[in-house]
Amino acid sequence: MIILITGASHTGKTLLAQRLLEKYKYPYLSVDHLKMGLIRSGYTSLTPLSDDTELTAYLWPVVREMIKTAIENKQNLIVEGCYIPFDWQKDFENEYLENIRFYCLVMSETYIKNHFADIKKYANAIENRGDDEDCTLESVLRDNAQILTLAQQHRVNTILIDDKYEINIDSDGEEHE
């Protein structure tokens, strides 16, 4: 089973991937780690501040082929990051699609306004973000609204975090309340 997790920054993609790793022992790939490895090694002239569209165009073909290889080898894998395109399905034939579950994490405006202090507090729960001063209430509201619009346009599976942060995905990649 392949589980894809995307969403705006600070929605808990990495935290969810880590929890699924601990619960089901499925390894996970952070697309951010791949990005930084390629940047630091000099294999690309892109930078961490490059446009998300440009980074997605560069990273997705590699990630896509890693997903296909994992499926062909009957391996489980969690892939998390914001560089997964919303039209990802077009890149896979049915034999692959039946082995992939996609989740887009989106925080509602109400959740963000009521829990912004917690969003900032848990920003470094799994990995060190370093300087996180760009994360403001306004930026989180804007980013989540943009991601929700894209998710709705592409009709992808969205997990709306509205009241409390509680996400349950089973080992088959199915979400449960």
Side-chain angles (χ1 to χ4, degrees):
M1 179 60 50
I2 307 298
I3 299 173
L4 303 179
I5 304 169
T6 194
S9 181
H10 292 81
T11 54
K13 299 177 297 291
T14 306
L15 179 61
L16 176 59
Q18 181 69 33
R19 285 181 177 167
L20 292 171
L21 164 89
E22 292 167 2
K23 187 172 183 176
Y24 300 115
K25 310 300 184 226
Y26 292 2
Y28 80 86
L29 167 69
S30 166
V31 183
D32 279 339
H33 289 176
L34 176 62
K35 171 187 78 174
M36 291 309 298
L38 291 166
I39 289 170
R40 288 179 169 178
S41 66
Y43 280 103
T44 180
S45 60
L46 295 170
T47 73
L49 301 176
S50 294
D51 179 73
D52 281 358
T53 304
E54 211 176 355
L55 286 163
T56 300
Y58 184 75
L59 296 166
W60 178 244
V62 176
V63 173
R64 176 192 66 218
E65 297 309 313
M66 292 172 75
I67 291 167
K68 288 179 181 178
T69 301
I71 292 170
E72 290 162 359
N73 287 300
K74 297 180 180 12
Q75 295 170 314
N76 299 312
L77 179 64
I78 301 161
V79 178
E80 66 86 12
C82 59
Y83 306 109
I84 301 170
F86 283 93
D87 62 351
W88 65 273
Q89 291 177 311
K90 71 175 178 42
D91 293 330
F92 297 96
E93 292 83 20
N94 283 338
E95 65 194 68
Y96 295 107
L97 288 173
E98 62 191 27
N99 293 288
I100 301 172
R101 301 292 178 270
F102 177 91
Y103 300 97
C104 180
L105 305 183
V106 179
M107 293 176 174
S108 72
E109 183 176 329
T110 301
Y111 182 86
I112 294 166
K113 287 179 177 177
N114 290 338
H115 299 278
F116 185 69
D118 290 331
I119 293 168
K120 290 287 284 188
K121 178 181 173 184
Y122 293 108
N124 293 305
I126 300 297
E127 58 190 5
N128 183 1
R129 291 181 179 271
D131 180 12
D132 200 30
E133 67 184 44
D134 289 345
C135 177
T136 64
L137 176 63
E138 294 75 23
S139 70
V140 174
L141 287 166
R142 180 191 65 239
D143 293 349
N144 276 270
Q146 289 174 343
I147 294 296
L148 181 58
T149 298
L150 288 168
Q152 289 170 336
Q153 287 173 352
H154 289 90
R155 298 178 183 191
V156 297
N157 187 19
T158 303
I159 297 176
L160 184 64
I161 302 159
D162 190 37
D163 182 34
K164 57 185 173 181
Y165 193 97
E166 192 172 292
I167 301 170
N168 296 305
I169 297 174
D170 68 20
S171 62
D172 292 327
E174 299 299 324
E175 180 192 5
H176 299 280
E177 297 290 323

